[in-house]
Amino acid sequence: MANSSQREKWGSKIGFVLAAAGSAIGLGNIWKFPYVVGQNGGAAFIIIYIICVFAIGLPVIIAEILLGRTTQRNPVGAFKALSNSKFWPYVGAMGVFAGFLILSFYSVVAGWSVGYIYESIAGVFSGFDSPNAAGNHFNQLTSNVYWGIGMLAIFIIISMLFVYAGVQKGIEKGSKILMPLLFILLIIVMIRGLTLEGSNEGLNFLFKPDWSKVSANTILEALGQAFFSLSLGMGAMLTYGSYMSKEDNIPKASLEIVFLDTIIAIIAGVAIFTAVFGTGQNAGEGPGLIFHTLPIVFTKMPGGYFVGIIFFILLTIAALTSSISLLEVVTAYFVDEKKWKRHNAVLVFGFLAFLVGIPSALSFNLMQNSKIFGMNFFDMANYLSSNVMLPLGGMLIALFVGYVWGIDKVLTELKYGSEKLFSKSRWIISVWIILVKYFAPVLIFLVLLQSLGIF
Ligand code: PFF
C-alpha cells in the first residue's frame, strides 16, 4: 500500500498549483463557460459567477485540498481516516464514481476537439460560406458512429499515458509544459478576436451588465458552472492535495488556482465573443457554440487557418489536463484502498471509461432517440454527475470540515504552511470558517434543489 512515507509527492510547489489549475481549466472554461454566458445574458451572469467562485468555490476548494493533504489518501480513504462513521466514506465513493462518469462523457467532447485538430489542418473550414455550413459539418461528423467512438478512443488513450507515468513524471511534467502553452495560445486567439472589426460589441456583451436578463435561475446556473469549472465536489482536488507536503500554503495555492481558472474562462469568453460578434454570429447558440461558430469565424479572419489549428490544439490540451485528474481520482482509490498496481488501475479504468463513453458518443447518432426521463445517455451522465453529484459532494465536504472533523483539528492542519496568514491576517481564517460552515452549504443546498427541479 502507498503509505504516507512511500507515497509520491509533487516535485515542487508550482507543480501542485499547475496540476490543480490544469484540472480546473478545461472544457468547462473554454467550451461551456462561453455558451452558458451567452445563454444567460453576458456580463450580469459573469458578475454573479465570479461572486459564486470566490464566496463558495474558494472556501470549498480549501476544505477539499486540506482533507487530501491531511490524510494523504484518496477520497474514500480520507473520510475513513478522519471519522468512524460508515456514512462519510460513501461521500468519497460517490466522488470516485462521479469522476469516472464525468471522464466517460467529457472524453466524448474532448474527442471532438481532437477530431477538429485534423479538420482544421485539412483545411475543411475554408470551404464554409455560411454559419449553417459549419453547423452541418459538425452534425455530419458527430452522426458518424466511427468518428465519435474513434476520437473518444484516441483521447482516452492519451489521458491514460499521462496517468500511467505517475504523479511526478506524468501529471506534473505534463502540466508544467501544457499549462503555460495553453495560456499563450489562448492569448493569441484573444488578440486575434480583439483586432476584428465589430469586436467591441462582444466586449459590451461581456462587460456591460444587462440585469434584466437575470432571473432566480441565473444565480443557481452560475453556482453549478462554478462547481464544474473548479473540479469541485468529487475529490479531484482532494486527491491532488494528497500529494502535497505540509510546507505548502493551502489558502494561497487555492487562491491561485481559483484565480487562474477564472482568468482563463474570461480570456476564453473574450476570445470567443469578440469573434462571435465580429462575424455576426449568435451569442445564444448553446452547447454547439464553439463547433458551430468558430470554424466560420476562423475562415473569416486573416490567418484563420493557423488560428483554427492553434485553437483546437489548445482546447484538447485543456481537456487533457482535466481528464488526467478525473482518471487519477479513480486510480488513486484503487491503488490505496484496493492495493491495485497503478498501471493495472489505469489500464482497467481507462478501458472501462471508454466503454461507458460509447453510449455517450452514440447519443449523437444511433442512440439519439433512446431517452430516459427525456434525456439521452450523454445528457443523463452529464446531468447526474454535474448537477447532482458535484453539488451534493461539495455540500457534504463543507459540512464534514465545518462540523464533523472538529474545527480545532481543521485549523491545526490548515496552519501548516500558512503560519503567516494565521498570525498576521487571522480574520481571513474567521471568514473562511463562516463560509464553510454556513454560507457554502446553504447555497449549495439551493443549487441542488434547483437541479432536482424542486424549485
Ligand atoms: N473542471 C473541468 C473543466 O472545467 O473542464 C472539468 C472537471 C474536471 C470537473 C475534473 C470535475 C473534475 F473532477
Side-chain angles (χ1 to χ4, degrees):
M1 177 178 157
N3 65 31
S4 44
S5 57
Q6 296 166 335
R7 198 179 173 84
E8 266 193 281
K9 287 268 159 61
W10 300 111
S12 59
K13 282 185 192 179
I14 194 75
F16 167 76
V17 172
L18 284 179
S23 165
I25 297 160
L27 296 173
N29 305 59
I30 299 170
W31 164 69
K32 198 169 173 193
F33 180 77
Y35 90 70
V36 178
V37 168
Q39 287 177 326
N40 285 281
F45 176 87
I46 295 183
I47 293 168
I48 299 168
Y49 174 78
I50 289 177
I51 295 171
C52 292
V53 160
F54 285 92
I56 295 166
L58 183 58
V60 176
I61 265 206
I62 293 177
E64 215 187 292
I65 296 175
L66 187 65
L67 277 173
R69 185 182 70 174
T70 303
T71 57
Q72 308 271 297
R73 301 279 188 91
N74 61 87
V76 176
F79 285 109
K80 269 193 200 160
L82 294 174
S83 85
N84 294 324
S85 134
K86 286 224 166 82
F87 169 74
W88 291 101
Y90 283 108
V91 175
M94 181 177 72
V96 173
F97 182 69
F100 175 76
L101 197 59
I102 294 175
L103 178 65
S104 72
F105 73 83
Y106 197 83
S107 301
V108 171
V109 180
W112 298 342
S113 181
V114 174
Y116 265 65
I117 297 176
Y118 173 78
E119 300 296 306
S120 52
I121 292 174
V124 172
F125 305 157
S126 63
F128 296 162
D129 46 9
S130 71
N132 284 348
N136 292 342
H137 187 69
F138 176 74
N139 294 340
Q140 209 180 342
L141 285 174
T142 49
S143 67
N144 179 336
V145 173
Y146 301 109
W147 189 80
I149 294 178
M151 293 305 151
L152 164 70
I154 292 174
F155 183 79
I156 289 202
I157 288 170
I158 303 172
S159 304
M160 283 164 71
L161 289 177
F162 276 98
V163 182
Y164 198 92
V167 171
Q168 258 200 43
K169 270 186 271 158
I171 299 170
E172 187 170 349
K173 255 203 193 134
S175 298
K176 259 188 189 163
I177 304 164
L178 298 177
M179 292 308 296
L181 188 65
L182 165 67
F183 199 74
I184 294 166
L185 292 182
L186 205 47
I187 296 213
I188 293 173
V189 178
M190 182 181 75
I191 292 173
R192 189 36 110 202
L194 283 171
T195 51
L196 279 177
E197 210 180 304
S199 63
N200 267 354
E201 224 184 302
L203 292 179
N204 285 343
F205 179 77
L206 283 173
F207 299 116
K208 266 200 186 156
D210 175 358
W211 294 103
S212 70
K213 288 196 182 141
V214 171
S215 67
N217 257 4
T218 315
I219 301 172
L220 301 168
E221 280 256 354
L223 255 169
Q225 171 63 14
F227 264 104
F228 188 76
S229 190
L230 293 172
S231 306
L232 261 191
M234 49 142 289
M237 290 297 164
L238 187 156
T239 304
Y240 273 15
S242 77
Y243 305 118
M244 256 179 145
S245 81
K246 293 221 164 171
E247 287 97 63
D248 293 335
N249 184 332
I250 293 181
K252 184 166 166 267
S254 305
L255 186 66
E256 284 164 3
I257 295 159
V258 169
F259 184 74
L260 280 175
D261 187 70
T262 309
I263 282 284
I264 295 272
I266 306 259
I267 293 179
V270 173
I272 286 159
F273 282 106
T274 48
V276 165
F277 281 87
T279 56
Q281 307 282 317
N282 170 22
E285 175 74 38
L289 188 68
I290 282 179
F291 297 100
H292 280 232
T293 314
L294 283 184
I296 279 287
V297 171
F298 297 141
T299 65
K300 287 193 179 177
M301 51 168 83
Y305 174 77
F306 295 101
V307 179
I309 296 172
I310 289 170
F311 183 84
F312 286 109
I313 291 177
L314 172 162
L315 190 64
T316 304
I317 292 170
L320 189 59
T321 51
S322 300
S323 66
I324 288 171
S325 76
L326 291 163
L327 186 53
E328 175 61 23
V329 171
V330 186
T331 302
Y333 167 70
F334 280 89
V335 169
D336 288 356
E337 298 301 309
K338 305 289 175 199
K339 323 274 187 280
W340 283 37
K341 289 217 164 71
R342 182 173 190 88
H343 290 179
N344 293 343
V346 173
L347 285 176
V348 169
F349 290 97
F351 184 65
L352 285 179
F354 166 69
L355 290 185
V356 179
I358 290 176
S360 275
L362 295 183
S363 300
F364 296 87
N365 39 66
L366 292 184
M367 288 171 60
Q368 207 160 15
N369 298 320
S370 323
K371 294 189 173 166
I372 319 162
F373 300 119
M375 287 185 254
N376 60 33
F377 192 90
F378 180 93
D379 295 337
M380 187 62 114
N382 190 355
Y383 178 86
L384 271 183
S385 53
S386 318
N387 294 3
V388 181
M389 294 178 191
L390 294 190
L392 188 62
M395 183 183 80
L396 292 168
I397 286 169
L399 291 176
F400 184 84
V401 170
Y403 298 93
V404 181
W405 187 359
I407 210 72
D408 289 346
K409 289 183 206 148
V410 169
L411 293 182
T412 308
E413 286 294 335
L414 186 63
K415 200 171 172 183
Y416 294 122
S418 57
E419 291 81 4
K420 258 196 203 151
L421 188 69
F422 272 73
S423 60
K424 292 213 173 107
S425 317
R426 191 143 181 126
W427 65 270
I428 293 181
I429 305 297
S430 310
V431 171
W432 177 71
I433 294 172
I434 293 169
L435 293 176
V436 167
K437 280 187 104 156
Y438 309 107
F439 194 73
V442 169
L443 266 167
I444 295 167
F445 188 61
L446 295 180
V447 177
L448 210 55
L449 291 185
Q450 193 255 354
S451 70
L452 291 173
I454 290 172
F455 71 90

